[in-house]
Amino acid sequence: MSRQIVVVTAVHAPSARYLPEAYTSLCAQELPGGWEWHWVIQEDGTTDDVRPYVPDDVRVTFRQGRPGGPGVARTLALAHAAGEYVKVLDADDRLAPGALARDLAALEGDPEIGWTTSRVLDLLPDGTTVGFPGDPADGPLERGDVLAYWRANDFRAPVHPASLCVRRELLTALGGWMALPASEDTGLLIALDAVSRGWFSAEVGLFYRKWDGQATGQAAHTDPVERRARMAVVEARARALAAFGWHHPAAPA
């Protein structure tokens, strides 16, 4: 029986038109023997606008729910995620070749690694891509590394949460994505960093689409009052988790 990596995608009506490109990038992934992917697409809403873009594939599950933001949609999608690992793929992004295989290699190769991220390139409207300097070295990220960098660099993480792949049990233990109007994925990343070693792949794992309708491009996302509140909650959660002393993998009883 094949083992599964579950790819979770939150989608709303404006981003649905990009699902076919995400699907193409997923179909191009080559997995190790004995592995398969299952794509769970969760609409943040109950419109009639998303379903026409959902691929007709037995490996794809489509669900809807009342609007609550991408974090709520992704967390609801976990109800349909039976695999050992959960990979994030936003509706408007594309996986790079080999991304899933590299995630699996890191997680299967070291039981102390709880999550992985990878190098991300911005995908611009004209089809060109742009990278960024300052990525970590290829290899493990020790607990607390991401928080320290994030705190010292105006709340900007050294790795991109949109490229996250995580052990399902660890993800559910932390309650999924944070209940925030934005930065819910950064909040999860910082919490994971507090309780588990991570891994960064220096090979490109994701093409992050830049377009006018994306949530992170809206004025509300950068409102300074709300942003300070979001970051305060994210940091407080991470520091509390670290102070409790629990970490992955848990010590034997």
Side-chain angles (χ1 to χ4, degrees), residues 162-180:
S163 67
L164 180 70
C165 187
V166 58
R167 296 183 188 274
R168 184 179 185 277
E169 289 189 349
L170 180 56
L171 175 61
T172 54
L174 291 175
W177 285 263
M178 289 191 75
L180 294 172

Side-chain angles (χ1 to χ4, degrees), residues 64-110:
Q64 297 174 297
R66 55 178 170 166
V72 170
R74 292 190 205 103
T75 302
L76 281 174
L78 296 179
H80 313 287
E84 300 169 58
Y85 305 113
V86 175
K87 174 69 172 179
V88 175
L89 176 60
D90 287 346
D92 49 359
D93 294 342
R94 299 189 335 220
L95 294 174
L100 294 187
R102 290 189 291 272
D103 288 333
L104 288 173
L107 292 163
E108 288 282 288
D110 186 346

Side-chain angles (χ1 to χ4, degrees), residues 146-157 186 231 234-235:
V146 174
L147 173 61
Y149 183 100
W150 176 83
R151 191 69 182 84
N153 289 273
D154 192 32
F155 308 117
R156 298 186 185 279
T186 298
M231 300 308 121
V234 167
E235 182 173 2

Side-chain angles (χ1 to χ4, degrees), residues 89-216:
L89 176 60
D90 287 346
D92 49 359
D93 294 342
R94 299 189 335 220
L95 294 174
L100 294 187
R102 290 189 291 272
D103 288 333
L104 288 173
L107 292 163
E108 288 282 288
D110 186 346
E112 291 192 357
I113 300 296
W115 51 276
T116 69
T117 53
S118 61
R119 186 170 184 234
V120 173
L121 297 181
D122 276 355
L123 176 61
L124 305 181
D126 64 2
T128 60
T129 58
V130 177
F132 303 92
D135 284 336
D138 191 280
L141 298 167
E142 300 302 329
R143 281 189 290 145
D145 282 356
V146 174
L147 173 61
Y149 183 100
W150 176 83
R151 191 69 182 84
N153 289 273
D154 192 32
F155 308 117
R156 298 186 185 279
V159 296
H160 205 306
S163 67
L164 180 70
C165 187
V166 58
R167 296 183 188 274
R168 184 179 185 277
E169 289 189 349
L170 180 56
L171 175 61
T172 54
L174 291 175
W177 285 263
M178 289 191 75
L180 294 172
S183 307
E184 77 293 330
D185 52 356
T186 298
L188 172 60
L189 174 68
I190 301 297
L192 288 167
D193 168 73
V195 299
S196 173
R197 297 174 78 216
W199 182 274
F200 178 76
S201 172
E203 294 192 56
V204 176
L206 186 75
F207 298 102
Y208 182 81
R209 189 185 304 274
K210 306 292 283 188
W211 59 289
D212 290 343
Q214 65 187 148
T216 54

